[in-house]
Amino acid sequence: MALETEAKNPSAATKATTAATAAKAKENNNTVSGKKNLNPNQQNQNLVNGNGTAADGAAAKKKGKKNRNKSPPEPAAESVETALSNGHAEKTAAEGDAGPESADSNANVAADGGDKPEEAVAPGDGQAETEDIDLDALHDVSITVNISSPGADNLLVQLSSMELVQEIHQLLMDREETCHRTCFSLQLDNVTLDHFAELKTIEHLEQGSTIKVVEEPYTMREARIHVRHVRDLLKNLDPADAYNGIDCNSLTYLNTITQGDLLDKKKTRPDSVDCTPPEYVTPGVFEPPLLPLHPNVKNAKGPQALKVLTTSAWNPPPGPRKLHGDLMYLYVVTMEDKRFHISACSKGFYINQSTDDTFNPKPENPSHLSHSLIDLLSHISPSFRRAFQTIQKRRTMRHAFERVATPYQVYQWASPVLEHTVDAIRAEDAFSSKLGYEEHIPGQTRDWNEELQTTRELPRKTLPERLLRERAIFKVHGDFVTAATRGAMAVIDGNVLAINPGEDSKMQMFIWNNIFFSLGFDVRDHYKELGGDAAAFVAPRYDLHGVRVYNAVDIEGLYTLGTVVIDYRGYRVTAQSIIPGILEREQEQSVVYGSIDFGKTVLSHPKYLDLLRQAGKHLKILPHAVLNERDEPVELCSSVECKGIIGNDGRHYILDLLRTFPPDVNFLKLQDVQLSKELVDMGFPIEHRHKLCCLRQELLEAFIEDRYVSFIRIAAVHLQQLNATKHSEKSDEEKPVPALEAADKEAKENGAEKPKEAAEENKEEKKEQPTAGTTKSAEAMVNAIREAQSNVATSNEVQAAEVVKRACAAVGSLKEKEFDFRFNPDVFSPGIRHVDGEEGTCSSLAKQKVLVQDAAEFLVVKQIPAFIKEHLAHASPPIDGQSLTESLHSHGINVRYLGKVIKLLGQMPRMDYLYRIAILELIVRATKHIYYTYMQNTEPLHLSAAISHFLNCLLTNGPVNPAVSSEEAHKKRGNGGKHNKHKSSKSGKGQQQQQQQSTGGNQNGNSSGNGSSASVTSDWTLVTPRSLWQQIRREAKAYWDWDLDCDSMESATNKFGILRISLLRAFCLKVGIQVLLREYNFESKHKPTFGSDDIVNVFPVVKHISPRATDAYNFYTTGQAKIQQGMFKEGYELISEALNLLNNVFGAMHQENGSCLRMLARLSYLLGDAQDALAIQQRAVIMSERVNGIDHPSTILEYTHLSLYSFANGHVGMSLKLLYRARYLMVLICGEDHPEVALIDSNISLILHALGEYELSLRFIEHALKLNLKYFGNRAMHVAVSYHLMARTQSCMGDFRSALNNEKETYSIYKSQLGEKHEKTRDSAECLRLLTQQAVLLQRKMNDIYSNGKLTTDLPPIHITPPSMGSVLDMLNTINGILFVQISQKDIVKVRSEIEKHFKANNAENEVNDAIKSIVAAANNNGDIEGEAPKENAAATGRQLSNGEEAPAASS
């Protein structure tokens, strides 16, 4: 899961606490989420337990308790479509007050869950004991009630006594037969029930009670909510909101591709399957088409029920009518083209006699008043009635996950032409400054800062408290991101008045909806020394990083601002919550800690020092002293720029965290720093645009861990020498102890220098990702340590201390006598005067500088090679630039090192695909820099023309005449006019270069206009493909020090094999462009590829922090550890529990829930429950499409898994369709030349083979073989399997000779890799024998024909048996790395227990335990096949299951 682990605390889930939390979670599980509704005739998709029956995994333990997950309530009465797990949404209790405390109605967790303090329960029996307490303590019973509503049949609903009355409301608003009601109350025995009461508190409510639905009179607000609800029901199926990126809607196509719900399908007979792949899926496709990306665009909308439904222009009712009870007027045009004006009064809705130009509010004759608008419309329009029923049917058939809103908006980069309809509600939303939900909260705007900080202050002692706190944090954060994005767009679109309107437009600041916005320009030369606008542009992003890490550390009493960074239309906007009181006073007066002038004046504050010291422990920040303007030393625990401000609310805020981590000296030209020769040879230091480059937190952690391993190794060696000296003092000459020699020798074998030299040289850091080699030395090391420690007691203390001292010196520790690595972020900052301590202590400047330099060197010398080495196995290869970036970041490598990474990749033919992806990413990023400048110089009038022109220059060589039409030309003003207020100065350089090139004659021959008009207004028209690519080359050289020798798209395609459509996709996603969904002809010679109509929209690109779910994360990692040990059942239960907690914190939809689902599906499959696996994986696919995007790499992965499970369930045709979809997306994103494509092709080939489509099957397997040979070399297991599959297919086609040759290849690989005796080698030999027999038979018959010249006898037919489905499934499992084996973990357990014995004594040395754990992890990794051996067989155990990042336990 992509949850960032807390800084330096890898063993977050140690056994004792896990047992305790597991016990706790079990206890409170029911409290928080143990309820479920069984609505008859509705698919109650229970989120965790696949198919609604709670009969599996953890749920069964709760003695049949139904286990339903709550999602955080959505505070929107109108949006009933936040239908939850079983189509029943919750609305917030936010009416009372805006505070987040009340904002969570179902958080009234009963404390009778027995919140025992978390004492560590003994891991073994803790679980069992709490199980019983849990069941007795919780009075969570399910009751069945009848609900009778006017005009509908009685409903039987099963509810849980913990639910709120309000949830029945939401349930009814979502049910097909009652969804048209919004304004009603629920009554039991004529007593109205309180909205927020739990069912168990209601008197007289027992099994079989009848609750009556009573229609209530409307108020103005209720009438508006009702109209909004009706409109939402009518446009429910319309994907327009998803394409326009509003209301957190997004697309999912799984059910389009499988033509309905997979789980309802009957098993297909193999002969009834149409399996010919579409043209664009067969191997050899060059440019994949764009249209299949969005299948089913035509009939996605569903039938139209009304032409127009809008508020009438006669609103609001005049005084006399108000006194008659009129609330509002509506205007409707039906499909029969009749026009109606409708009045809403407290009793309901009726048609009045107004027309478009006369106002007559009297009811029509005969009058028909109905409480529900839908009843009224059905009465006046038969076509409305029919269409509404169809919409309802389709709406209730959709999967629950298709209807819930996503936590953050996902934008589509391609969109079909959307019909623009009349919709007054949409218009009202757009122009009101409300944020959609505000009408529920008194006092209109929200105080974001107060909400963000109060949620952080919630208690967090027990599990329910933490869940409540994390849910509140997540909810408020999500709303804040939505509001900030909306505000930033309003700011750039010129819709917000600046707070300093008199100043230059770039210096303006804005406040909207209680959020502060500033633009990413260098205001008042603040960053002049650091790189001007370039520094001002990246500062917000670094600041966001700082906010993220301080939030993750989560120190009580230390507050950060809500921060969101938005890139929109070429501008970078920072949105921040506002510190109370900061606007009333000058910044100078309010800062009590840090410096506002980069260190000339510095302040400190004892409370801040205390708080920051706690955080610094986690973040490895060294407290240091600097001199202020009066030459007095001032102590700091952060960088100088970090400012502390005490708000009017008394909270201690920190801001400007852009230098939280130490600087990256490889990108700074500094006088007093001499880099090592190795780095100088590689071209460092490279002077970067700005001086804010920092090292990443992941790098510092890797660096410290690496030094730690060296430290242990050296200490062990020295201790052994000591003991050796001791022993040999008796004899005259000293003999080194054998164990030491062994360790030495091991170390040599592994390429680490001899430990003794290491001590002198201070250069040894050889700890790659643990490989088979290192485990031996790791064991030797452990032995050495063990031996050393047993002897320490005997040797005297002085010597032991001496050993530690020498080891510290060797690894460069800051303290002399203990292992201490912390960094001073200010050590190279200009203009800061440090207080230098004496040589060799913590406060010695020289030492601090060396440490920062070493870390930067470690990045280049160790981490980049480690990154490449890890990807050599192709275990989870990056698919696009985004996954490449994530992978680099997880190794602590910044993207500015991309050029160096590409240089290394270029020398390795087996990394060809990664080389291509890296170059594509580099081109996209370079182009982004140019594009932002370009956009800032474009008038709003010409945005679509300018963007399409830019894309033409980037992607085509055809004609690019910038089309400035005559109507636009006469709109031009001489100067940039008011529209272009944020004119950029950054564009300076780029433009002059363009001007020089372009004035030499417009290359297209049609010089646009006369020179004068083209001066300011249309400098974008001067860009040509040639000038743009020259700029891209300059940018690549300047920023990444990499020579891109392409001067056009064509040369890039020929040279690197980059697909234009992949570049288009990557670029649109990177900068937020939405293009029209159509086929683009990039080769077009006569007219430009992109016209201005092809640019549909521009979207913001939003960066923010993602709040975490800590308990869920701990469960998840423990579950992974269990799986690693082959304990699938326990793993399954822990991960179900994690999913439960995630649903509690994040609601039903979230990326992390998706990773959990994928893991659960895989485990179900491994445990032999293919049906359950299918149900869970289906949800994982829909979730990935909705949350990550329909063409995101993890979506492709989910599709391939789903196809395997659907094959196992007998849906053969479906599994092919899913694979075709995965392959199409794969090729669209990165082309055919990729190791993952080989896997998909092998799968497709196998299934086609099973269906008897041998020719097709052969095409796919040949392609897979070609790729496997390229990426795995000709002796790899993958290749052997490919040869074997080819032989199988060819033998079925009767081509025995080729089959024989291929099977021989398989045999030789197995024999060389596994030996004669191995079962696989024997199978292959058997296969060869059969093939030879068949070939001989065939040859005989041929000879018979030749000798007699004609067929004398009827030949007996050659016997070819088509494969059974079972054998195909086995083969599929093999390819996809699923082996149903549970290998004994004896060796690993042995190592582990021994180590634990030896380190019991050393509790203080927590760190040692961590180091040992990492050593053991290395041993684990190369133990036998773990619970499942990813991909194919033990030799290829490429991926640990707990591969932390994107793909937990999935070998795609």
Side-chain angles (χ1 to χ4, degrees):
M1 278 162 113
L3 293 149
E4 298 112 26
T5 4
E6 193 148 326
K8 199 69 196 116
N9 183 6
S11 54
T14 45
K15 286 230 178 80
T17 56
T18 314
T21 33
K24 295 236 41 59
K26 283 270 183 320
E27 267 172 43
N28 304 305
N29 186 0
N30 294 27
T31 349
V32 193
S33 70
K35 8 189 169 149
K36 165 150 207 226
N37 278 8
L38 292 181
N39 319 340
N41 66 36
Q42 165 151 16
Q43 339 84 311
N44 30 43
Q45 283 118 337
N46 177 352
L47 292 183
V48 180
N49 313 328
N51 30 20
T53 57
D56 50 330
K61 283 179 136 178
K62 303 204 175 70
K63 313 222 165 87
K65 276 262 148 52
K66 299 294 187 211
N67 181 14
R68 176 169 97 56
N69 304 300
K70 282 280 174 292
S71 137
E74 280 285 306
E78 334 91 42
S79 68
V80 80
E81 265 327 301
T82 52
L84 280 202
S85 47
N86 34 17
H88 109 202
E90 288 119 15
K91 175 174 117 207
T92 353
E95 261 109 88
D97 68 284
E101 294 84 2
S102 78
D104 186 344
S105 47
N106 25 338
N108 324 27
V109 176
D112 50 6
D115 292 341
K116 303 200 307 292
E118 301 199 22
E119 66 259 17
V121 192
D125 43 38
Q127 221 104 337
E129 290 163 21
T130 42
E131 204 60 39
D132 309 325
I133 299 170
D134 149 26
L135 290 168
D136 308 336
L138 282 166
H139 319 295
D140 177 13
V141 264
S142 62
I143 37 177
T144 314
V145 292
N146 287 308
I147 294 183
S148 78
S149 48
D153 305 337
N154 272 14
L155 278 182
L156 259 184
V157 185
Q158 186 170 356
L159 301 164
S160 129
S161 62
M162 310 282 305
E163 294 195 51
L164 303 179
V165 174
Q166 179 202 11
E167 297 178 26
I168 308 180
H169 261 255
Q170 288 304 90
L171 173 76
L172 292 173
M173 281 170 67
D174 195 53
R175 293 298 297 272
E176 195 173 341
E177 50 274 44
T178 52
C179 66
H180 52 276
R181 306 186 181 283
T182 57
C183 185
F184 58 89
S185 63
L186 298 170
Q187 294 187 355
L188 178 67
D189 307 337
N190 296 331
V191 180
T192 304
L193 305 180
D194 170 24
H195 235 124
F196 301 119
E198 287 192 9
L199 294 185
K200 62 176 179 201
T201 59
I202 297 169
E203 297 172 45
H204 312 310
L205 181 68
E206 59 249 1
Q207 287 290 357
S209 299
T210 301
I211 294 182
K212 277 176 67 181
V213 172
V214 181
E215 298 177 342
E216 290 289 317
Y218 284 101
T219 58
M220 176 77 191
R221 177 169 175 274
E222 286 290 348
R224 287 178 54 192
I225 286 177
H226 184 74
V227 173
R228 204 170 255 273
H229 179 64
V230 169
R231 164 209 179 232
D232 285 342
L233 287 175
L234 295 182
K235 66 188 252 313
N236 189 278
L237 302 170
D238 188 2
D241 278 358
Y243 284 115
N244 292 327
I246 39 185
D247 291 345
C248 287
N249 284 330
S250 61
L251 303 170
T252 159
Y253 286 122
L254 176 64
N255 288 344
T256 309
I257 285 155
T258 55
Q259 293 155 354
D261 193 337
L262 252 181
L263 305 175
D264 307 340
K265 297 275 187 235
K266 310 280 175 288
K267 297 199 172 179
T268 45
R269 293 205 314 285
D271 51 343
S272 63
V273 179
D274 169 38
C275 52
T276 37
E279 196 54 35
Y280 52 84
V281 173
T282 44
V285 57
F286 180 56
E287 286 272 349
L290 188 51
L291 283 172
L293 181 60
H294 297 255
N296 189 24
V297 172
K298 298 271 181 300
N299 47 3
K301 267 182 80 160
Q304 198 181 352
L306 288 175
K307 284 192 176 162
V308 180
L309 163 65
T310 155
T311 45
S312 153
W314 294 115
N315 278 320
R321 292 305 309 167
K322 221 173 179 169
L323 303 175
H324 278 88
D326 286 6
L327 298 172
M328 63 189 290
Y329 304 120
L330 304 172
Y331 171 62
V332 172
V333 182
T334 63
M335 294 308 286
E336 293 89 354
D337 235 353
K338 292 191 176 148
R339 289 150 197 271
F340 295 99
H341 286 259
I342 295 177
S343 297
C345 65
S346 56
K347 285 276 193 309
F349 297 84
Y350 62 87
I351 293 166
N352 62 36
Q353 295 176 24
S354 302
T355 62
D356 294 357
D357 31 58
T358 57
F359 177 63
N360 180 359
K362 295 196 170 55
E364 254 202 331
N365 277 340
S367 72
H368 179 85
L369 173 81
S370 50
H371 190 267
S372 148
L373 181 57
I374 286 187
D375 292 345
L376 178 65
L377 292 170
S378 303
H379 176 72
I380 57 178
S381 161
S383 59
F384 174 85
R385 192 167 51 229
R386 284 194 302 276
F388 184 68
Q389 281 166 350
T390 322
I391 291 175
Q392 282 299 76
K393 279 213 175 46
R394 278 178 60 181
R395 182 180 77 94
T396 43
M397 275 170 57
R398 291 166 71 189
H399 194 284
F401 279 9
E402 296 184 50
R403 314 192 300 194
V404 188
T406 57
Y408 307 108
Q409 186 63 56
V410 176
Y411 297 104
Q412 309 298 330
W413 63 273
S415 155
V417 182
L418 298 173
E419 177 192 5
H420 197 58
T421 51
V422 175
D423 185 344
I425 294 177
R426 182 188 63 217
E428 178 191 20
D429 279 354
F431 287 118
S432 61
S433 63
K434 292 194 306 288
L435 278 169
Y437 296 144
E438 255 55 33
E439 54 190 333
H440 300 283
I441 298 175
Q444 296 305 315
T445 51
R446 293 167 70 169
D447 182 345
W448 292 109
N449 191 67
E450 190 53 34
E451 287 192 38
L452 287 162
Q453 312 309 348
T454 20
T455 50
R456 288 204 157 280
E457 288 166 347
L458 292 173
R460 43 175 153 178
K461 298 276 186 300
T462 63
L463 183 78
E465 283 180 349
R466 281 196 300 276
L467 289 176
L468 198 64
R469 173 177 185 261
E470 282 169 354
R471 180 194 312 178
I473 289 176
F474 177 72
K475 188 82 198 78
V476 172
H477 176 75
D479 291 351
F480 178 67
V481 172
T482 308
T485 309
R486 193 169 158 181
M489 291 166 72
V491 163
I492 298 298
D493 291 337
N495 213 354
V496 181
L497 182 66
I499 48 179
N500 49 348
E503 304 207 18
D504 172 33
S505 62
K506 286 188 342 196
M507 298 169 77
Q508 288 179 350
M509 291 171 265
F510 305 83
I511 289 182
W512 181 86
N513 189 19
N514 275 333
I515 307 176
F516 174 79
F517 297 93
S518 53
L519 299 170
F521 294 116
D522 185 8
V523 183
R524 306 195 178 87
D525 288 343
H526 187 66
Y527 292 106
K528 192 172 174 190
E529 299 300 310
L530 299 168
D533 276 348
F537 190 78
V538 298
R541 203 183 65 223
Y542 285 133
D543 185 33
L544 184 67
H545 263 306
V547 172
R548 196 190 72 217
V549 297
Y550 275 106
N551 267 352
V553 174
D554 217 356
I555 301 288
E556 266 180 82
L558 187 62
Y559 297 91
T560 55
L561 302 183
T563 310
V564 183
V565 179
I566 300 111
D567 290 331
Y568 180 61
R569 278 182 40 190
Y571 297 98
R572 174 156 285 179
V573 185
T574 312
Q576 289 171 313
S577 60
I578 302 170
I579 299 179
I582 191 166
L583 295 171
E584 288 104 69
R585 48 192 182 188
E586 279 295 307
Q587 198 181 20
E588 286 76 30
Q589 301 156 12
S590 43
V591 173
V592 295
Y593 170 90
S595 162
I596 52 167
D597 47 17
F598 294 106
K600 294 186 190 63
T601 51
V602 190
L603 300 163
S604 192
H605 186 282
K607 178 78 174 128
Y608 272 106
L609 282 177
D610 175 45
L611 291 167
L612 287 168
R613 214 177 251 125
Q614 295 173 42
K617 283 198 189 92
H618 292 277
L619 302 177
K620 304 285 177 254
I621 297 170
L622 179 73
H624 52 280
V626 298
L627 296 170
N628 65 8
E629 71 284 12
R630 294 193 289 283
D631 290 338
E632 304 155 347
V634 177
E635 192 181 356
L636 294 175
C637 287
S638 63
S639 71
V640 169
E641 281 90 350
C642 168
K643 302 172 190 42
I645 295 180
I646 300 177
N648 284 0
D649 52 3
R651 295 190 179 107
H652 291 74
Y653 293 92
I654 50 171
L655 55 157
D656 287 351
L657 306 173
L658 53 145
R659 284 220 172 143
T660 302
F661 292 117
D664 182 351
V665 290
N666 297 341
F667 282 85
L668 293 171
K669 285 236 163 77
L670 298 160
Q671 276 76 47
D672 51 348
V673 174
Q674 194 45 57
L675 296 179
S676 71
K677 181 171 179 334
E678 199 173 348
L679 292 183
V680 175
D681 293 343
M682 291 172 77
F684 292 108
I686 299 167
E687 192 162 7
H688 207 49
R689 303 230 156 120
H690 55 80
K691 299 197 171 77
L692 295 177
C693 305
C694 298
L695 298 170
R696 295 184 66 86
Q697 188 182 10
E698 297 94 332
L699 177 84
L700 302 183
E701 282 170 16
F703 173 66
I704 293 171
E705 190 185 348
D706 176 86
R707 284 292 165 99
Y708 192 67
V709 171
S710 314
F711 170 72
I712 291 188
R713 189 184 292 152
I714 294 166
V717 169
H718 284 313
L719 279 175
Q720 278 185 326
Q721 283 174 327
L722 269 183
N723 301 332
T725 346
K726 258 226 179 71
H727 293 311
S728 54
E729 275 166 9
K730 296 159 196 161
S731 65
D732 291 333
E733 39 188 82
E734 295 188 7
K735 289 193 188 117
V737 165
L740 168 60
E741 280 188 340
D744 255 12
K745 196 161 116 227
E746 284 292 355
K748 265 187 247 159
E749 281 172 28
N750 284 302
E753 298 88 337
K754 274 197 231 161
K756 279 180 232 129
E757 293 169 20
E760 297 136 27
E761 282 190 26
N762 182 9
K763 266 280 179 293
E764 52 52 78
E765 307 117 324
K766 176 69 186 161
K767 183 223 159 212
E768 302 278 65
Q769 298 326 82
T771 53
T774 21
T775 49
K776 279 196 226 113
S777 69
E779 279 162 30
M781 220 161 95
V782 176
N783 294 334
I785 298 169
R786 191 174 303 149
E787 201 172 307
Q789 281 193 324
S790 57
N791 296 330
V792 167
T794 59
S795 73
N796 58 15
E797 287 301 308
V798 182
Q799 279 175 312
E802 183 56 35
V803 166
V804 173
K805 193 168 160 186
R806 281 165 69 183
C808 284
V811 292
S813 162
L814 283 180
K815 292 195 181 142
E816 247 188 306
K817 299 204 173 63
E818 58 177 294
F819 180 83
D820 177 26
F821 273 77
R822 284 171 302 164
F823 300 88
N824 173 352
D826 289 329
V827 73
F828 290 113
S829 306
I832 294 174
R833 297 172 303 155
H834 293 271
V835 179
D836 196 356
E838 69 260 29
E839 199 51 50
T841 59
C842 256
S843 49
S844 146
L845 251 190
K847 232 177 177 178
Q848 295 171 10
K849 287 189 174 176
V850 168
L851 201 55
V852 173
Q853 273 174 265
D854 284 352
E857 183 174 332
F858 173 76
L859 191 157
V860 179
V861 180
K862 284 285 153 23
Q863 287 302 87
I864 294 181
F867 162 79
I868 288 174
K869 192 163 176 182
E870 187 174 300
H871 284 296
L872 268 173
H874 309 304
S876 51
I879 292 173
D880 64 349
Q882 188 192 351
S883 43
L884 171 73
T885 311
E886 279 165 13
S887 178
L888 283 169
H889 284 171
S890 68
H891 284 82
I893 303 168
N894 309 68
V895 174
R896 59 175 171 271
Y897 285 95
L898 193 58
K900 299 297 172 209
V901 175
I902 290 178
K903 276 188 183 132
L904 281 175
L905 288 172
Q907 299 153 11
M908 311 173 81
R910 271 178 62 185
M911 301 297 278
D912 192 30
Y913 74 97
L914 201 53
Y915 179 62
R916 185 176 325 108
I917 291 171
I919 287 176
L920 179 68
E921 181 69 358
L922 187 133
I923 292 176
V924 167
R925 283 171 179 267
T927 316
K928 176 183 81 171
H929 299 168
I930 298 161
Y931 170 81
Y932 278 174
T933 315
Y934 171 95
M935 284 294 283
Q936 290 168 4
N937 295 308
T938 305
E939 284 197 32
L941 274 182
H942 303 145
L943 279 175
S944 64
I947 297 172
S948 59
H949 175 66
F950 189 90
L951 290 177
N952 281 329
C953 293
L954 176 64
L955 294 163
T956 68
N957 313 352
V960 282
N961 37 348
V964 181
S965 62
S966 55
E967 59 159 329
E968 286 176 356
H970 79 249
K971 287 191 215 158
K972 279 184 199 164
R973 308 199 218 2
N975 57 359
K978 177 165 178 307
H979 278 296
N980 208 6
K981 28 183 225 190
H982 313 291
K983 261 272 191 284
S984 147
S985 66
K986 284 209 299 194
S987 56
K989 284 181 282 190
Q991 256 156 295
Q992 282 137 23
Q993 292 148 357
Q994 290 160 24
Q995 229 100 28
Q996 287 151 17
Q997 284 161 0
S998 315
T999 41
N1002 198 320
Q1003 289 171 340
N1004 303 320
N1006 55 346
S1007 68
S1008 54
N1010 51 10
S1012 62
S1013 76
S1015 58
V1016 185
T1017 36
S1018 51
D1019 46 20
W1020 56 270
T1021 55
L1022 304 175
V1023 179
T1024 63
R1026 194 155 147 249
S1027 72
L1028 177 63
W1029 276 87
Q1030 278 170 341
Q1031 266 181 289
I1032 293 174
R1033 283 175 70 172
R1034 279 197 294 273
E1035 185 69 17
K1037 182 70 185 150
Y1039 200 95
W1040 288 279
D1041 187 30
W1042 191 69
D1043 299 301
L1044 170 74
D1045 37 3
C1046 305
D1047 47 10
S1048 69
M1049 185 64 222
E1050 198 147 311
S1051 57
T1053 311
N1054 299 339
K1055 193 161 179 212
F1056 305 114
I1058 291 171
L1059 298 184
R1060 294 171 188 220
I1061 194 128
S1062 310
L1063 180 57
L1064 174 67
R1065 169 187 178 273
F1067 183 67
C1068 288
L1069 286 173
K1070 188 69 89 192
V1071 297
I1073 298 174
Q1074 189 181 49
V1075 294
L1076 185 64
L1077 183 69
R1078 69 174 182 88
E1079 297 307 342
Y1080 291 99
N1081 173 13
F1082 294 110
E1083 302 299 320
S1084 148
K1085 290 279 173 280
H1086 303 297
K1087 60 192 248 262
T1089 303
F1090 295 91
S1092 59
D1093 294 345
D1094 290 326
I1095 309 301
V1096 181
N1097 210 337
V1098 283
F1099 287 127
V1101 177
V1102 185
K1103 299 183 177 68
H1104 57 87
I1105 51 180
S1106 307
R1108 303 170 35 208
T1110 41
D1111 294 285
Y1113 179 73
N1114 294 345
F1115 269 92
Y1116 186 82
T1117 39
T1118 324
Q1120 278 189 326
K1122 284 271 183 280
I1123 295 162
Q1124 205 99 64
Q1125 297 162 17
M1127 303 199 268
F1128 295 156
K1129 261 280 190 281
E1130 292 87 336
Y1132 184 89
E1133 275 163 24
L1134 283 163
I1135 287 178
S1136 311
E1137 205 48 70
L1139 181 61
N1140 232 338
L1141 299 178
L1142 284 173
N1143 278 318
N1144 252 306
V1145 174
F1146 295 143
M1149 271 284 149
H1150 198 272
Q1151 276 161 325
E1152 263 123 48
N1153 302 29
S1155 330
C1156 258
L1157 284 168
R1158 175 198 310 164
M1159 189 75 145
L1160 282 175
R1162 194 167 183 87
L1163 285 170
S1164 302
Y1165 188 64
L1166 280 167
L1167 294 167
D1169 187 349
Q1171 224 170 346
D1172 201 30
L1174 185 69
I1176 298 175
Q1177 185 61 27
Q1178 181 197 28
R1179 306 211 302 279
V1181 173
I1182 296 177
M1183 190 168 312
S1184 182
E1185 288 194 305
R1186 294 274 329 268
V1187 179
N1188 298 318
I1190 51 174
D1191 54 355
H1192 188 274
S1194 55
T1195 306
I1196 299 179
L1197 201 69
E1198 306 293 11
Y1199 265 111
T1200 46
H1201 287 210
L1202 186 63
S1203 87
L1204 174 65
Y1205 306 149
S1206 62
F1207 187 90
N1209 278 293
H1211 307 312
V1212 182
M1214 280 307 117
S1215 73
L1216 260 181
K1217 286 202 172 105
L1218 296 166
L1219 281 170
Y1220 289 159
R1221 174 76 175 167
R1223 189 180 200 279
Y1224 163 70
L1225 292 175
M1226 193 72 206
V1227 175
L1228 181 79
I1229 295 177
C1230 67
E1232 275 196 324
D1233 187 6
H1234 192 284
E1236 286 291 295
V1237 176
L1239 183 75
I1240 294 177
D1241 281 354
S1242 308
N1243 280 328
I1244 294 177
S1245 157
L1246 251 169
I1247 296 175
L1248 286 170
H1249 176 91
L1251 293 170
E1253 295 280 345
Y1254 302 127
E1255 273 91 357
L1256 275 174
S1257 169
L1258 198 60
R1259 284 176 64 182
F1260 281 101
I1261 194 63
E1262 278 169 347
H1263 190 246
L1265 175 65
K1266 194 175 84 194
L1267 289 176
N1268 279 334
L1269 280 169
K1270 174 170 179 182
Y1271 289 118
F1272 295 98
N1274 52 8
R1275 313 302 303 152
M1277 291 299 157
H1278 291 72
V1279 177
V1281 178
S1282 300
Y1283 275 126
H1284 173 64
L1285 294 176
M1286 271 185 81
R1288 274 177 64 162
T1289 308
Q1290 286 163 335
S1291 69
C1292 289
M1293 293 166 74
D1295 181 358
F1296 294 115
R1297 182 166 297 149
S1298 319
L1300 258 176
N1301 294 338
N1302 286 324
E1303 189 57 54
K1304 277 180 188 153
E1305 293 283 349
T1306 305
Y1307 179 70
S1308 76
I1309 295 177
Y1310 281 156
K1311 192 170 147 188
S1312 69
Q1313 300 286 340
L1314 306 171
E1316 294 264 1
K1317 296 283 183 293
H1318 196 279
E1319 160 194 29
K1320 285 203 154 136
T1321 322
R1322 290 211 297 270
D1323 290 350
S1324 181
E1326 174 62 14
C1327 190
L1328 273 174
R1329 193 179 63 73
L1330 288 171
L1331 282 172
T1332 319
Q1333 268 180 356
Q1334 296 274 20
V1336 170
L1337 263 173
L1338 182 73
Q1339 198 55 47
R1340 253 189 222 143
K1341 290 174 185 158
M1342 300 303 282
N1343 293 347
D1344 197 26
I1345 296 175
Y1346 285 131
S1347 58
N1348 302 335
K1350 61 179 192 296
L1351 262 177
T1352 44
T1353 52
D1354 280 343
L1355 290 179
I1358 298 169
H1359 192 59
I1360 298 174
T1361 45
S1364 71
M1365 286 296 162
S1367 74
V1368 173
L1369 185 59
D1370 291 345
M1371 210 56 219
L1372 276 174
N1373 287 334
T1374 308
I1375 305 183
N1376 292 298
I1378 294 182
L1379 297 180
F1380 295 89
V1381 281
Q1382 274 149 36
I1383 299 296
S1384 88
Q1385 293 271 321
K1386 273 181 244 142
D1387 325 333
I1388 294 168
V1389 176
K1390 236 182 358 217
V1391 180
R1392 193 169 281 147
S1393 59
E1394 287 183 5
I1395 290 165
E1396 277 169 4
K1397 253 182 275 163
H1398 284 286
F1399 283 105
K1400 280 278 162 33
N1402 257 11
N1403 282 343
E1405 288 290 80
N1406 239 346
E1407 308 253 308
V1408 176
N1409 284 338
D1410 291 357
I1412 298 304
K1413 284 212 177 74
S1414 69
I1415 296 165
V1416 173
N1420 269 7
N1421 251 1
N1422 303 292
D1424 240 298
I1425 312 180
E1426 292 124 47
E1428 52 180 290
K1431 301 237 191 168
E1432 168 50 61
N1433 64 332
T1437 306
R1439 159 189 307 200
Q1440 275 193 56
L1441 265 125
S1442 61
N1443 151 14
E1445 272 306 300
E1446 267 318 338
S1451 47
S1452 45

